[in-house]
Amino acid sequence: MTLEEINGQMNTMENADRVQSAGAALEELLIAAKKQDYLTVGVYESAKVMNVDPDSVAFCVLATDEEYECDIALQIHFTLIQAFCFDNDINVVRVNDIERLADLVGADETGEPKDAHCILVTSPSANPWKDPALDKLSLFCEESRSVYDWVPAITLPER
């Protein structure tokens, strides 16, 4: 085994640990933000918040699954949301487990699961919300961008 192969394996293991750690931080962040009522759930609801008060958006989660991969309208919304996030220095990640995200954010008033394709963590502009999990995720996104991974994928921890 060459030195490059060993370094490659070590980098792969480090990256897997980073993604797993980021998944745990994302879960912590969503639970804490839900308790504070700092979550906006749904593509259209998120677009409204971004349009009305972009400074209140602290973090963005986009969720994909195989069922909606071919949904062109949803992909266009994702592209627009990503562009908005990049223009406004908002960290954005992708998660491939939409069912788990829906469990974390809960159901709507009718008991139906919320549309978890887009989740925003908001924070009032007058009194910014500080959370250690948000800091960890911001660092994860910054590190990902340094290796040209503009929208990193996060895996949520198993239950």
Side-chain angles (χ1 to χ4, degrees):
M1 192 175 264
T2 66
L3 184 59
E4 289 82 12
E5 290 172 334
I6 292 171
N7 284 338
Q9 285 181 345
M10 290 174 64
N11 287 341
T12 302
M13 289 188 304
E14 287 174 12
N15 192 38
D17 289 342
R18 276 185 55 242
V19 170
Q20 191 172 24
S21 175
L26 178 60
E27 185 175 19
E28 290 173 28
L29 177 66
L30 293 175
I31 291 169
K34 183 180 175 186
K35 288 178 184 173
Q36 296 286 329
D37 198 29
Y38 288 165
L39 284 183
T40 301
V41 181
V43 174
Y44 298 107
E45 294 81 358
S46 297
K48 286 183 215 171
V49 168
M50 289 177 163
N51 190 35
V52 172
D53 190 9
D55 293 334
S56 72
V57 180
F59 198 79
C60 178
V61 179
L62 298 176
T64 58
D65 59 0
E66 291 178 11
E67 181 181 347
Y68 289 96
E69 272 183 0
C70 296
D71 185 339
I72 299 208
L74 184 62
Q75 297 306 319
I76 290 170
H77 284 294
F78 279 2
T79 302
L80 294 172
I81 289 169
Q82 286 174 20
F84 182 89
C85 289
F86 294 151
D87 286 347
N88 289 281
D89 296 322
I90 299 166
N91 290 314
V92 58
V93 296
R94 281 194 180 255
V95 175
N96 291 328
D97 193 349
I98 193 164
E99 290 85 20
R100 183 88 158 70
L101 276 177
D103 288 344
L104 287 172
V105 298
D108 63 13
E109 298 80 33
T110 64
E112 290 290 318
K114 292 183 180 179
D115 170 26
H117 284 103
C118 182
I119 301 170
L120 297 181
V121 176
T122 57
S123 175
S125 300
N127 186 17
W129 180 55
K130 295 292 180 193
D131 187 82
L134 182 59
D135 293 338
K136 286 179 191 175
L137 287 167
S138 295
L139 180 61
F140 173 79
C141 289
E142 187 178 319
E143 290 172 351
S144 295
R145 283 191 300 271
S146 72
V147 293
Y148 305 106
D149 186 3
W150 301 108
V151 184
I154 291 181
T155 303
L156 292 170
E158 296 293 322
R159 280 195 163 181

